[in-house]
C-alpha cells in the first residue's frame, strides 16, 4: 500500500488527476452496472448509438491522451473490486475521452465459446485506433457502436 502511495505521489499533477478521475468513474460504473440496467447506465453516462462525435483535435493528441487514459484506467482497476470487467474499463475510457473533447466509440462484441456458450467483450476506438480492450477484440463479432454525446463534467 505504501509503495502505491509513493508511486501516486511521484506522478505529475495531470496524471494524478486523471488517475483519480479514472478511479471514481470505475467505481461509479461498477456500482451502476451491478445495481441498474445497462440502458439506464448508458443514458446516465451520455452514451448513445450512432456516429462518433467530438471536437476536432490533432490525431497525435488523441493517440497520446488515449494511451494515457487507458493506462490510468488499468492502474485504477487494480483498486476497484470487479472493475477488471472490460465493460467498466471501456465506459470509463470513453467518458475520459469525451471529457477531453475526443470522439470515443464503445464497441461490444460477442462470440460463441465451446460451440454454444456466448461470451462478450467491450473495447474503445477513437479515429479507427483501439484505445483499450484490443487484445481480445479479434475473437468477437462487433455489435452496434455506442458513442458519447453531451457535455460531461
Amino acid at each position: 500500500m505504501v509503495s502505491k502511495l509513493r508511486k501516486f505521489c511521484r506522478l505529475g499533477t495531470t496524471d494524478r488527476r486523471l488517475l483519480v478521475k479514472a478511479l471514481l468513474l470505475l467505481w461509479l460504473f461498477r456500482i451502476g452496472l451491478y445495481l441498474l440496467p445497462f440502458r439506464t447506465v448508458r443514458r446516465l453516462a451520455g452514451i448513445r448509438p450512432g456516429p462518433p462525435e467530438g471536437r476536432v483535435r490533432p490525431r497525435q493528441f488523441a493517440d497520446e491522451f488515449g494511451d494515457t487514459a487507458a493506462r490510468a484506467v488499468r492502474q485504477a482497476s487494480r483498486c476497484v473490486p470487479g472493475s477488471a470487467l472490460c465493460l467498466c474499463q471501456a465506459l470509463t475510457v470513453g467518458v475520459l475521452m469525451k471529457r477531453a473533447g475526443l470522439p470515443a466509440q464503445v464497441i461490444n462484441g460477442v462470440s460463441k465459446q465451446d460451440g454454444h456458450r456466448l461470451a462478450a467483450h467491450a473495447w474503445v476506438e477513437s479515429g479507427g485506433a483501439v484505445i483499450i480492450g484490443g487484445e481480445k477484440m479479434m475473437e468477437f463479432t462487433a455489435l452496434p457502436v455506442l458513442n458519447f454525446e453531451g457535455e460531461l463534467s
Side-chain angles (χ1 to χ4, degrees):
M1 180 69 175
V2 174
S3 67
K4 286 183 181 182
L5 187 58
R6 282 188 187 140
K7 284 181 185 178
F8 179 77
C9 291
R10 278 188 248 146
L11 292 173
T13 306
T14 305
D15 289 336
R16 251 189 309 220
R17 261 191 221 135
L18 188 61
L19 189 57
V20 169
K21 286 178 186 178
L23 185 62
L24 292 173
L25 285 168
L26 277 169
W27 271 107
L28 288 173
F29 281 123
R30 183 64 189 124
I31 292 167
L33 290 170
Y34 182 75
L35 297 175
L36 302 169
F38 179 68
R39 182 181 306 194
T40 304
V41 173
R42 189 182 78 188
R43 187 177 43 79
L44 291 172
I47 305 167
R48 65 165 182 81
E53 294 179 6
R55 291 176 231 138
V56 177
R57 301 293 283 268
R59 180 80 218 146
Q60 182 181 358
F61 177 80
D63 291 342
E64 289 173 7
F65 183 82
D67 290 344
T68 304
R71 188 171 41 256
V73 168
R74 282 189 207 99
Q75 289 173 343
S77 71
R78 295 183 200 129
C79 301
V80 180
S83 69
L85 294 171
C86 56
L87 184 56
C88 287
Q89 291 184 14
L91 292 171
T92 300
V93 169
V95 169
L96 293 172
M97 297 283 291
K98 178 60 181 175
R99 287 183 175 177
L102 299 165
Q105 298 178 310
V106 174
I107 302 171
N108 292 293
V110 293
S111 172
K112 262 190 173 178
Q113 303 287 314
D114 302 326
H116 37 285
R117 190 176 60 89
L118 276 181
H121 181 58
W123 63 94
V124 175
E125 292 183 6
S126 180
V130 177
I131 305 300
I132 194 168
E135 60 281 347
K136 292 184 182 178
M137 65 179 255
M138 298 309 286
E139 302 169 24
F140 296 86
T141 301
L143 297 173
V145 173
L146 301 173
N147 297 297
F148 289 78
E149 71 174 7
E151 289 297 317
L152 300 172
S153 43

